[in-house]
Amino acid sequence: MTSQMLRDARKHEEMFGRNVTEAERPSFHLSAYVGWMNDPNGFCYYKGQYHMFYQYYPYEPKWGPMHWGHAVSSDLLHWEYAPAALAPDMPYDQDGCFSGNAAELPDGRLMLMYTGVRKEPQADGTMRDHQTQCLAIGDGINFDKYEGNPVIESNDLPEGFSRADFRDPKVWRLADGTYRCAAGNRPADGSGQILLFESPDGISWKYKKVLAENRCRFGLMWECPDFFPLDGRQVLLTSPQDILPQGFEYHNGNGTLCLIGDYDEETETFHEEFNQSVDYGIDFYAPQTVLTPDGRRVMIGWMQNWDTIEFRAPHGKWQGQMSLPRELSVRNGRLYQAPIRELLAMRENKVEHMDVSLQGEMNFPDIHGRKLDMEIEIRPAQDAELYQKFSIHFAANDMFHTTVSFRPRERVLKIDRKFSGSRRAIIHQRRSKLASGQDGRLRLRLILDRYSVEVFVNDGEQVMSATLYTPLTADQVIFGCDGAAVFDVVKYDLR
Ligand code: FRU
């Protein structure tokens, strides 16, 4: 049964969603249909299509009582909006349907598992969240909230585990047909932990154990876990709040942490070994992954930072976009990310300039635009001293530009959007230390989709993402070098 609240949301999005013209939103990155978007939710492949749901407040371009928006795609790049899937219309989720995930039930229906939020008055007169895990089951478009909700209550948790911070279930099915779920929580030490739950049928759930403990190492609360095997290892992704920087890692206050280790399936025990940031740019949080029918593990994150949400699209019709879908792999204990290969089919108008010598600045009349895929290979000029800095300015005109620059001596790659059109005194730049490059050799792939840039470094060893709300008339690309370098550039427009 569709509630009045959900019908209102659907009516609102029908009336206002179509007012957003094509140029006012990204072309192949999913953005809020209308109003506000945050985390990806319920990312799955169901009955021949990818489904992406998202944290959604359709009525204003800012966070509000959370609904779930919905879109479907056959290649994760061309999205079609579907009507909003959930509204906070029940007593147990009246303050929000927070993040969650999806899994198919044995009878073929799609089950959404999400966090229901209800604020409760405390003894001291303040209000505090009570967060529980709930289900909605349906045909992929319409979902009925399960009459037995919530299916995981905070009473089901051991003593001392938080009732207020217990959210973002990730659910998966084992080969034996039973289900598991991982959710974020806080133990008594106030930091974060990921809890594991089990279910014979996806409907009735039981607490199993602590899957991973923060022990105050990486921020405080751990949000939005994802947990999967990859290339013979096990990966836990989670997005810590309030994280302190460590060297060049974890600079975003709220960012995404990747723990790589091994999983003992018998005892369901995760042994972590390596840790790293997932994105070294400004905007990336709360990713989810999907397993494609041909076995690729693909991740999409919310391309936004909670600390810089005042940096907005000027028209105010939508706020919030997802990252590119990224194919993941693990090599030598590190997470690698590559733009999903389906993007190659969108390439056109190839332009190639090889062995270009550069001292000072230059541009090419055939390289410009705001929907671009550019591969750039940089090396020092022969018999010259190692260059100081190589820069690529894009989304540029006389007034605006955003820059990616590399200093080989320090091995530091920097993204700077100070002049992208922002009128806010917020963080606009991020620096990342590369694993290699002190010899001045660097490979970059830059992808622009009107209002964002994603930089894949050295075949995806690192990625830097940032949103840019620069007017689309700023579409020049300028290369610059302090010192002497040689580079190749291959550019494609993206259809
Ligand atoms: C992460 C998050 C989640 C929560 C949701 C609320 O960005 O805070 O933990 O479920 O957003 O919108």
mmCIF file of all heavy atoms in Angstrom, residues 36 38-39 55 63 66 97-100 115 167-168 221 223-224 241 285-286 302 306, ligand 1:
data_model
loop_
_atom_site.group_PDB
_atom_site.id
_atom_site.type_symbol
_atom_site.label_atom_id
_atom_site.label_comp_id
_atom_site.label_asym_id
_atom_site.label_seq_id
_atom_site.Cartn_x
_atom_site.Cartn_y
_atom_site.Cartn_z
ATOM 1 N N TRP A 36 17.291 16.996 -2.719
ATOM 2 C CA TRP A 36 18.555 16.581 -2.094
ATOM 3 C C TRP A 36 18.834 15.089 -2.243
ATOM 4 O O TRP A 36 17.930 14.253 -2.064
ATOM 5 C CB TRP A 36 18.487 16.920 -0.613
ATOM 6 C CG TRP A 36 19.567 16.302 0.213
ATOM 7 C CD1 TRP A 36 19.525 15.099 0.850
ATOM 8 C CD2 TRP A 36 20.853 16.847 0.498
ATOM 9 N NE1 TRP A 36 20.701 14.870 1.515
ATOM 10 C CE2 TRP A 36 21.537 15.923 1.317
ATOM 11 C CE3 TRP A 36 21.511 18.046 0.145
ATOM 12 C CZ2 TRP A 36 22.832 16.148 1.795
ATOM 13 C CZ3 TRP A 36 22.791 18.259 0.619
ATOM 14 C CH2 TRP A 36 23.430 17.332 1.433
ATOM 15 N N ASN A 38 21.805 12.188 -0.714
ATOM 16 C CA ASN A 38 23.097 11.777 -0.174
ATOM 17 C C ASN A 38 23.349 10.307 -0.477
ATOM 18 O O ASN A 38 23.242 9.927 -1.648
ATOM 19 C CB ASN A 38 23.371 12.238 1.262
ATOM 20 C CG ASN A 38 22.417 11.838 2.355
ATOM 21 O OD1 ASN A 38 21.321 12.353 2.440
ATOM 22 N ND2 ASN A 38 22.831 10.952 3.227
ATOM 23 N N ASP A 39 23.714 9.499 0.482
ATOM 24 C CA ASP A 39 24.296 8.174 0.215
ATOM 25 C C ASP A 39 23.580 7.315 -0.836
ATOM 26 O O ASP A 39 22.353 7.260 -0.863
ATOM 27 C CB ASP A 39 24.259 7.293 1.475
ATOM 28 C CG ASP A 39 24.702 7.980 2.721
ATOM 29 O OD1 ASP A 39 25.200 9.104 2.645
ATOM 30 O OD2 ASP A 39 24.524 7.384 3.795
ATOM 31 N N GLN A 55 19.561 8.237 -0.528
ATOM 32 C CA GLN A 55 19.031 9.092 0.528
ATOM 33 C C GLN A 55 18.523 10.367 -0.146
ATOM 34 O O GLN A 55 19.270 11.026 -0.893
ATOM 35 C CB GLN A 55 20.134 9.410 1.558
ATOM 36 C CG GLN A 55 20.526 8.208 2.385
ATOM 37 C CD GLN A 55 19.479 7.900 3.442
ATOM 38 O OE1 GLN A 55 19.417 8.536 4.483
ATOM 39 N NE2 GLN A 55 18.633 6.927 3.159
ATOM 40 N N TRP A 63 19.339 18.530 3.206
ATOM 41 C CA TRP A 63 18.973 17.319 3.947
ATOM 42 C C TRP A 63 17.678 17.563 4.718
ATOM 43 O O TRP A 63 17.497 18.612 5.344
ATOM 44 C CB TRP A 63 20.128 16.959 4.899
ATOM 45 C CG TRP A 63 20.050 15.563 5.439
ATOM 46 C CD1 TRP A 63 20.546 14.441 4.867
ATOM 47 C CD2 TRP A 63 19.436 15.160 6.676
ATOM 48 N NE1 TRP A 63 20.287 13.346 5.661
ATOM 49 C CE2 TRP A 63 19.607 13.752 6.773
ATOM 50 C CE3 TRP A 63 18.762 15.827 7.699
ATOM 51 C CZ2 TRP A 63 19.139 13.011 7.866
ATOM 52 C CZ3 TRP A 63 18.296 15.089 8.773
ATOM 53 C CH2 TRP A 63 18.477 13.697 8.851
ATOM 54 N N MET A 66 14.428 11.790 5.665
ATOM 55 C CA MET A 66 14.944 10.991 4.554
ATOM 56 C C MET A 66 13.922 10.046 3.934
ATOM 57 O O MET A 66 13.284 9.238 4.609
ATOM 58 C CB MET A 66 16.153 10.175 5.020
ATOM 59 C CG MET A 66 17.434 10.981 5.060
ATOM 60 S SD MET A 66 18.013 11.423 3.402
ATOM 61 C CE MET A 66 17.833 13.184 3.443
ATOM 62 N N CYS A 97 14.019 7.376 6.794
ATOM 63 C CA CYS A 97 14.424 6.062 6.291
ATOM 64 C C CYS A 97 15.877 6.235 5.888
ATOM 65 O O CYS A 97 16.177 6.725 4.795
ATOM 66 C CB CYS A 97 13.594 5.666 5.070
ATOM 67 S SG CYS A 97 11.841 5.526 5.429
ATOM 68 N N PHE A 98 16.780 5.902 6.797
ATOM 69 C CA PHE A 98 18.201 6.116 6.564
ATOM 70 C C PHE A 98 18.755 5.010 5.652
ATOM 71 O O PHE A 98 18.020 4.147 5.181
ATOM 72 C CB PHE A 98 18.955 6.171 7.899
ATOM 73 C CG PHE A 98 18.937 7.536 8.550
ATOM 74 C CD1 PHE A 98 18.027 8.514 8.189
ATOM 75 C CD2 PHE A 98 19.861 7.845 9.553
ATOM 76 C CE1 PHE A 98 18.025 9.767 8.799
ATOM 77 C CE2 PHE A 98 19.870 9.096 10.166
ATOM 78 C CZ PHE A 98 18.964 10.056 9.792
ATOM 79 N N SER A 99 20.074 5.036 5.500
ATOM 80 C CA SER A 99 20.720 4.197 4.497
ATOM 81 C C SER A 99 20.516 2.705 4.713
ATOM 82 O O SER A 99 20.289 2.253 5.841
ATOM 83 C CB SER A 99 22.214 4.489 4.455
ATOM 84 O OG SER A 99 22.409 5.694 3.783
ATOM 85 N N GLY A 100 20.637 1.951 3.649
ATOM 86 C CA GLY A 100 20.495 0.503 3.699
ATOM 87 C C GLY A 100 20.788 -0.096 2.349
ATOM 88 O O GLY A 100 21.284 0.577 1.446
ATOM 89 N N THR A 115 17.581 1.647 7.715
ATOM 90 C CA THR A 115 17.531 2.061 9.115
ATOM 91 C C THR A 115 16.322 2.967 9.339
ATOM 92 O O THR A 115 16.187 3.995 8.668
ATOM 93 C CB THR A 115 18.826 2.805 9.503
ATOM 94 O OG1 THR A 115 19.917 1.906 9.294
ATOM 95 C CG2 THR A 115 18.792 3.253 10.956
ATOM 96 N N ARG A 167 23.209 1.796 12.432
ATOM 97 C CA ARG A 167 22.579 2.070 11.137
ATOM 98 C C ARG A 167 23.348 1.506 9.937
ATOM 99 O O ARG A 167 24.449 1.028 10.055
ATOM 100 C CB ARG A 167 22.409 3.577 10.957
ATOM 101 C CG ARG A 167 23.680 4.394 11.034
ATOM 102 C CD ARG A 167 23.352 5.881 10.843
ATOM 103 N NE ARG A 167 24.514 6.728 11.067
ATOM 104 C CZ ARG A 167 24.874 7.217 12.247
ATOM 105 N NH1 ARG A 167 24.161 6.969 13.330
ATOM 106 N NH2 ARG A 167 25.961 7.970 12.359
ATOM 107 N N ASP A 168 22.693 1.658 8.784
ATOM 108 C CA ASP A 168 23.272 1.437 7.460
ATOM 109 C C ASP A 168 23.566 -0.036 7.173
ATOM 110 O O ASP A 168 24.699 -0.404 6.851
ATOM 111 C CB ASP A 168 24.556 2.282 7.280
ATOM 112 C CG ASP A 168 24.352 3.750 7.648
ATOM 113 O OD1 ASP A 168 23.203 4.212 7.590
ATOM 114 O OD2 ASP A 168 25.339 4.419 7.995
ATOM 115 N N MET A 221 32.324 7.196 14.958
ATOM 116 C CA MET A 221 31.302 6.278 14.418
ATOM 117 C C MET A 221 31.700 5.787 13.015
ATOM 118 O O MET A 221 32.168 6.555 12.190
ATOM 119 C CB MET A 221 29.960 7.027 14.360
ATOM 120 C CG MET A 221 28.858 6.323 13.605
ATOM 121 S SD MET A 221 28.324 4.788 14.420
ATOM 122 C CE MET A 221 27.101 4.214 13.220
ATOM 123 N N GLU A 223 30.175 4.527 9.600
ATOM 124 C CA GLU A 223 28.908 4.488 8.863
ATOM 125 C C GLU A 223 29.058 3.627 7.601
ATOM 126 O O GLU A 223 30.148 3.404 7.092
ATOM 127 C CB GLU A 223 28.508 5.909 8.462
ATOM 128 C CG GLU A 223 28.316 6.845 9.656
ATOM 129 C CD GLU A 223 27.709 8.183 9.259
ATOM 130 O OE1 GLU A 223 28.202 8.821 8.314
ATOM 131 O OE2 GLU A 223 26.745 8.590 9.910
ATOM 132 N N CYS A 224 27.918 3.215 7.092
ATOM 133 C CA CYS A 224 27.801 2.651 5.739
ATOM 134 C C CYS A 224 28.832 1.577 5.382
ATOM 135 O O CYS A 224 29.621 1.751 4.453
ATOM 136 C CB CYS A 224 27.868 3.788 4.717
ATOM 137 S SG CYS A 224 26.622 5.027 4.994
ATOM 138 N N GLN A 241 33.161 8.846 10.725
ATOM 139 C CA GLN A 241 32.930 10.264 10.999
ATOM 140 C C GLN A 241 34.103 10.778 11.823
ATOM 141 O O GLN A 241 34.705 10.033 12.590
ATOM 142 C CB GLN A 241 31.657 10.440 11.830
ATOM 143 C CG GLN A 241 30.399 10.091 11.077
ATOM 144 C CD GLN A 241 29.152 10.288 11.930
ATOM 145 O OE1 GLN A 241 29.116 9.887 13.081
ATOM 146 N NE2 GLN A 241 28.139 10.885 11.351
ATOM 147 N N TYR A 285 32.010 9.738 -0.342
ATOM 148 C CA TYR A 285 31.562 9.217 0.954
ATOM 149 C C TYR A 285 30.566 8.085 0.749
ATOM 150 O O TYR A 285 29.873 8.016 -0.272
ATOM 151 C CB TYR A 285 30.883 10.353 1.754
ATOM 152 C CG TYR A 285 30.803 10.064 3.236
ATOM 153 C CD1 TYR A 285 31.951 10.006 4.006
ATOM 154 C CD2 TYR A 285 29.579 9.840 3.861
ATOM 155 C CE1 TYR A 285 31.886 9.726 5.372
ATOM 156 C CE2 TYR A 285 29.510 9.564 5.221
ATOM 157 C CZ TYR A 285 30.672 9.510 5.969
ATOM 158 O OH TYR A 285 30.611 9.229 7.306
ATOM 159 N N ALA A 286 30.504 7.216 1.739
ATOM 160 C CA ALA A 286 29.429 6.224 1.883
ATOM 161 C C ALA A 286 29.190 5.343 0.660
ATOM 162 O O ALA A 286 28.040 5.112 0.276
ATOM 163 C CB ALA A 286 28.117 6.943 2.261
ATOM 164 N N TRP A 302 28.792 8.520 -2.873
ATOM 165 C CA TRP A 302 28.174 9.855 -2.902
ATOM 166 C C TRP A 302 29.309 10.831 -3.159
ATOM 167 O O TRP A 302 30.258 10.893 -2.348
ATOM 168 C CB TRP A 302 27.504 10.122 -1.560
ATOM 169 C CG TRP A 302 26.867 11.466 -1.413
ATOM 170 C CD1 TRP A 302 26.167 12.161 -2.349
ATOM 171 C CD2 TRP A 302 26.848 12.267 -0.222
ATOM 172 N NE1 TRP A 302 25.705 13.340 -1.801
ATOM 173 C CE2 TRP A 302 26.116 13.420 -0.502
ATOM 174 C CE3 TRP A 302 27.382 12.095 1.065
ATOM 175 C CZ2 TRP A 302 25.908 14.431 0.452
ATOM 176 C CZ3 TRP A 302 27.168 13.084 2.011
ATOM 177 C CH2 TRP A 302 26.438 14.241 1.705
ATOM 178 N N TRP A 306 30.422 15.893 3.569
ATOM 179 C CA TRP A 306 29.487 16.517 4.517
ATOM 180 C C TRP A 306 29.973 17.902 4.949
ATOM 181 O O TRP A 306 29.168 18.773 5.291
ATOM 182 C CB TRP A 306 29.312 15.645 5.760
ATOM 183 C CG TRP A 306 28.303 14.542 5.607
ATOM 184 C CD1 TRP A 306 28.562 13.197 5.680
ATOM 185 C CD2 TRP A 306 26.889 14.667 5.390
ATOM 186 N NE1 TRP A 306 27.398 12.485 5.504
ATOM 187 C CE2 TRP A 306 26.354 13.360 5.328
ATOM 188 C CE3 TRP A 306 26.035 15.760 5.222
ATOM 189 C CZ2 TRP A 306 24.992 13.122 5.121
ATOM 190 C CZ3 TRP A 306 24.678 15.514 5.012
ATOM 191 C CH2 TRP A 306 24.174 14.213 4.965
HETATM 192 C C1 FRU B 1 25.960 8.861 5.938
HETATM 193 C C2 FRU B 1 24.683 8.929 6.730
HETATM 194 C C3 FRU B 1 24.260 7.557 7.139
HETATM 195 C C4 FRU B 1 22.800 7.717 7.352
HETATM 196 C C5 FRU B 1 22.428 8.706 6.294
HETATM 197 C C6 FRU B 1 21.370 9.689 6.688
HETATM 198 O O1 FRU B 1 26.178 9.883 5.034
HETATM 199 O O2 FRU B 1 24.852 9.791 7.825
HETATM 200 O O3 FRU B 1 24.955 7.046 8.262
HETATM 201 O O4 FRU B 1 22.136 6.507 7.213
HETATM 202 O O5 FRU B 1 23.596 9.409 5.953
HETATM 203 O O6 FRU B 1 20.932 10.417 5.590
#
